[in-house]
Amino acid sequence: MAEYYRLLRQLLDGLFATARFDSAVDQMLNGLIPSTSVDGVKAFFAARRADILTQISKPLTAGADLAAVSGYPHAMNATTGFNVTGTFDASTVREVKVNGVLAVLNVRNGTWSLARTSATHLRPGLNRFMVETFDDAGAHLDETFVDIWRDTGTTTTKGGTLAASETWTAAGGPYLISTAMTIGTGVTLTIQPGTTVYSANGIGITITGTGRIVADGTEFARIRFSRRPGTTDLAGRVFINGAALEQRFVWNDWEFNGGSQGIECTNGILLFSHSTFRNTDVQYISFHNSSFIIEDSFFQTYSQPAGWPPATYDGSSAFQRPEMLHGASGIPTTGYAIYRRNLFGHTFGFNDVIDFTGGNHPGAVLQIQDNVFTAATDDHLDLDITDAWISGNIFLNAHQDTGRSNAIDSSSAISGGIEGSATNPSEWSVFGNLFHHVDHAILAKGKDSSANTTSTRFVFLNNTVSKVTSESAYGSHGGDIAVFNFKDNVILDAPALVANYDPALISLTLNNNMLPQPWTGPGSGNKVADPLIDRVALAELEYAKIHRAEDYKKLWKQAR
């Protein structure tokens, strides 16, 4: 049955693909029968094809045969048998794994299931069951999850200043932080894999001195920071306030945060790895003069503001969501600031996905490597007075939001320059990235619309820029001098190479690039040619066809 579905899918995607079938019908029947009859043949086949696909190519879903309470499949403390169940694409999938365990497949119906018991497979609190699919070769295809609540009827209450180090266990939870907690010098809070931590409304944690949180989960025993099911509580921030030791959050899931941030790190050190932020509309993480590594993590698109998109828009907070991740005051001289292998949703309004200021040679500089940025209404990266290494990323769907009154405040994949009274330039090495469906790939901003003689430098090497939509592949606005070294790149489907280009202010050299149109400025070895890149595959990455950041997870897995 699996092989039959696979071959049937090949036919539907090949010989009987809609465009191919319609073309064949036109060649054979146009002029022989009425055009309405030709259209009828096409419509009949399209409906038939769609019906077959709904039977053999179902979406990946996950659930459980437990009654829902407060939005979760719900199990009490007693031993209860249950099944984790869902659907899958039987034409491509050969294995479904639930937290690493093979599920039982019904290929004919495109369903899967796995029998579990609450006492053995559920820890007190919220349990995430990761569901992954794999093809014949064992390659990862897709993933989703279902959260199941094991309700013990009790919580372990915590709060105040920890007098000594503690270890929170999965079996001892769920824990409820009911009053503000402080972790000070000499104290470590260790949170073990599979533990659930709830916070009362507005209640957070502050870490100072040599205090430390070590929250190291595992892939299938993740640590959960959430709220009590059935409440509307929003947790206060975790505030790393001058703490000298690394704070570790690994294989964690964060949600329902309130206040100003989920995590604020000031003069501290943070590792946030293999973790997620969901169901939160405050800034996820902010940094001030801190070292950090943010890696292999997912940041969900914020909820859409009511009334979005407005007919006209002047920056009103009613139509905005915050910058997802924000950095200020640079990086410690001997520190580090690294974003790598993450998947980012988007925010709304004038705010950026990542905004960062500071970090200049010869000290530590910002590193942004191998991430997937799915969309932006302002910029993916806004890097003023910031030196950065930017490589291996995928930048998609950066478009100025509709109705914006300030057309100059454009949307770009990477934007930056000099601001305020600063004189430090932004120096970027931009290497080996993909930019697709963006208003600008690079924007070199001016300094508060006034001229100065500081040189802002950009090296743009071995990148691919595809389908620049409204203005240019990169551009500049303002009075600063900018220097571009633009080499060994491929550009296609761009209506212009530059916008707001003034040779007196911008030194721009193009060497050995493949371009959609001639370049008459400095440089040599450029070629006007079609690179024959698969435009259909690129179009599948556009937000017109993919509406949720979660749907880019297959691309994210491939990119990693």
Side-chain angles (χ1 to χ4, degrees):
M1 183 63 72
E3 181 66 10
Y4 169 68
Y5 281 175
R6 184 182 67 82
L7 293 173
L8 185 56
R9 178 65 180 268
Q10 285 183 353
L11 288 171
L12 291 173
D13 290 342
L15 182 63
F16 295 110
T18 300
R20 190 169 180 177
F21 180 84
D22 288 355
S23 177
V25 170
D26 287 336
Q27 293 178 40
M28 291 185 292
L29 299 181
N30 275 346
L32 298 178
I33 62 175
S35 60
T36 53
S37 298
V38 173
D39 292 341
V41 171
K42 295 177 182 177
F44 173 82
F45 176 77
R48 180 62 177 160
R49 182 178 183 276
D51 181 66
I52 294 171
L53 285 173
T54 61
Q55 297 180 57
I56 71 170
S57 184
K58 296 179 179 178
L60 180 63
T61 63
D65 59 358
L66 293 164
V69 175
S70 299
Y72 299 97
H74 179 256
M76 299 298 290
N77 205 32
T79 299
T80 303
F82 65 95
N83 295 291
V84 187
T85 62
T87 61
F88 72 101
D89 184 346
S91 69
T92 59
V93 171
R94 294 298 169 263
E95 288 184 345
V96 176
K97 291 184 178 180
V98 183
N99 281 355
V101 178
L102 283 172
V104 177
L105 305 186
N106 184 325
V107 176
R108 178 184 294 274
N109 295 328
T111 60
W112 61 268
S113 63
L114 183 66
R116 306 279 85 176
T117 60
S118 60
T120 303
H121 300 107
L122 293 178
R123 305 172 189 90
L126 299 176
N127 297 258
R128 178 152 294 177
F129 285 78
M130 297 299 304
V131 180
E132 301 172 285
T133 57
F134 302 86
D135 66 11
D136 283 327
H140 186 280
L141 295 176
D142 201 358
E143 67 178 51
T144 189
F145 64 86
V146 58
D147 290 331
I148 300 177
W149 175 25
R150 181 182 171 190
D151 181 8
T152 62
T154 62
T155 57
T156 301
T157 301
K158 295 291 183 177
T161 299
L162 292 190
S165 296
E166 293 188 9
T167 297
W168 295 359
T169 66
Y175 295 86
L176 171 63
I177 304 175
S178 61
T179 59
M181 175 180 287
T182 300
I183 303 172
T185 293
V187 175
T188 297
L189 172 59
T190 301
I191 305 176
Q192 291 188 344
T195 301
T196 294
V197 180
Y198 302 137
S199 290
N201 192 54
I203 300 302
I205 303 172
T206 299
I207 308 108
T208 63
T210 59
R212 195 178 189 206
I213 290 182
V214 178
D216 286 354
T218 64
E219 183 175 7
F220 302 128
R222 305 173 69 92
I223 294 170
R224 186 66 162 262
F225 290 88
S226 186
R227 66 185 180 195
R228 291 165 292 178
T231 73
T232 58
D233 293 343
L234 296 175
R237 65 182 174 174
V238 170
F239 183 23
I240 304 165
N241 186 13
L245 302 179
E246 181 187 65
Q247 313 300 316
R248 296 178 56 88
F249 301 98
V250 182
W251 295 109
N252 289 191
D253 295 306
W254 294 60
E255 62 181 352
F256 303 120
N257 296 92
S260 53
Q261 300 96 8
I263 301 173
E264 179 178 353
C265 187
T266 297
N267 301 316
I269 306 171
L270 173 66
L271 173 65
F272 191 86
S273 177
H274 291 91
S275 296
T276 68
F277 262 106
R278 298 177 185 271
N279 304 316
T280 291
D281 280 334
V282 302
Q283 190 167 88
Y284 291 137
I285 308 176
S286 69
F287 303 98
H288 301 272
N289 189 42
S290 293
S291 292
F292 62 86
I293 297 174
I294 309 296
E295 63 180 10
D296 300 296
S297 294
F298 170 63
F299 298 89
Q300 185 185 50
T301 295
Y302 289 127
S303 67
Q304 182 171 300
W308 181 268
T312 60
Y313 177 57
D314 61 0
S316 168
S317 60
F319 299 111
Q320 294 198 73
R321 290 288 183 252
E323 291 167 340
M324 287 188 165
L325 298 110
H326 181 87
S329 305
I331 308 164
T333 303
T334 58
Y336 49 86
I338 302 171
Y339 292 101
R340 60 191 179 201
R341 301 185 303 272
N342 302 291
L343 176 62
F344 296 97
H346 70 87
T347 184
F348 292 88
F350 279 98
N351 288 318
D352 312 301
V353 177
I354 296 177
D355 185 298
F356 198 89
T357 302
N360 301 96
H361 294 105
V365 303
L366 183 65
Q367 301 174 53
I368 301 174
Q369 300 172 280
D370 304 323
N371 303 281
V372 177
F373 295 86
T374 61
T377 56
D378 201 62
D379 303 320
H380 286 305
L381 304 177
D382 190 351
L383 311 177
D384 294 321
I385 327 170
T386 302
D387 296 349
W389 171 266
I390 304 168
S391 69
N393 303 283
I394 299 175
F395 296 98
L396 303 170
N397 308 306
H399 304 300
Q400 185 185 82
D401 45 5
T402 58
R404 184 177 295 196
S405 60
N406 185 355
I408 291 176
D409 191 2
S410 59
S411 179
S412 308
I414 307 172
S415 171
I418 304 173
E419 65 177 10
S421 61
T423 58
N424 292 332
S426 292
E427 298 184 348
W428 306 333
S429 297
V430 184
F431 177 82
N433 303 277
L434 169 64
F435 302 81
H436 177 69
H437 205 221
V438 296
D439 290 353
H440 292 280
I442 298 285
L443 176 67
K445 295 190 296 188
K447 179 180 178 180
D448 300 335
S449 299
S450 62
N452 70 72
T453 58
T454 302
S455 177
T456 298
R457 292 174 283 273
F458 304 84
V459 178
F460 197 83
L461 305 173
N462 295 101
N463 300 284
T464 298
V465 181
S466 165
K467 197 174 182 181
V468 178
T469 49
S470 66
E471 292 185 289
S472 67
Y474 54 90
S476 178
H477 178 78
D480 289 2
I481 293 177
V483 178
F484 288 83
N485 182 3
F486 197 86
K487 183 179 179 182
D488 298 329
N489 303 283
V490 174
I491 300 179
L492 64 154
D493 302 335
L497 294 176
V498 293
N500 305 313
Y501 172 53
D502 183 346
L505 297 175
I506 300 177
S507 173
L508 177 58
T509 304
L510 272 69
N511 292 315
N512 304 323
N513 300 283
M514 186 173 288
L515 304 174
Q517 54 195 274
W519 169 251
T520 58
S524 64
N526 299 296
K527 182 178 181 179
V528 176
D530 189 329
L532 303 179
I533 289 175
D534 188 345
R535 288 173 170 82
V536 174
L538 287 173
E540 292 298 319
L541 303 178
E542 296 169 17
Y543 239 60
K545 297 186 177 181
I546 301 180
H547 300 284
R548 305 180 311 149
E550 286 90 337
D551 295 328
Y552 286 91
K553 282 191 173 179
K554 181 177 179 180
L555 173 66
W556 182 36
K557 289 284 186 180
Q558 293 169 343
R560 294 161 71 192

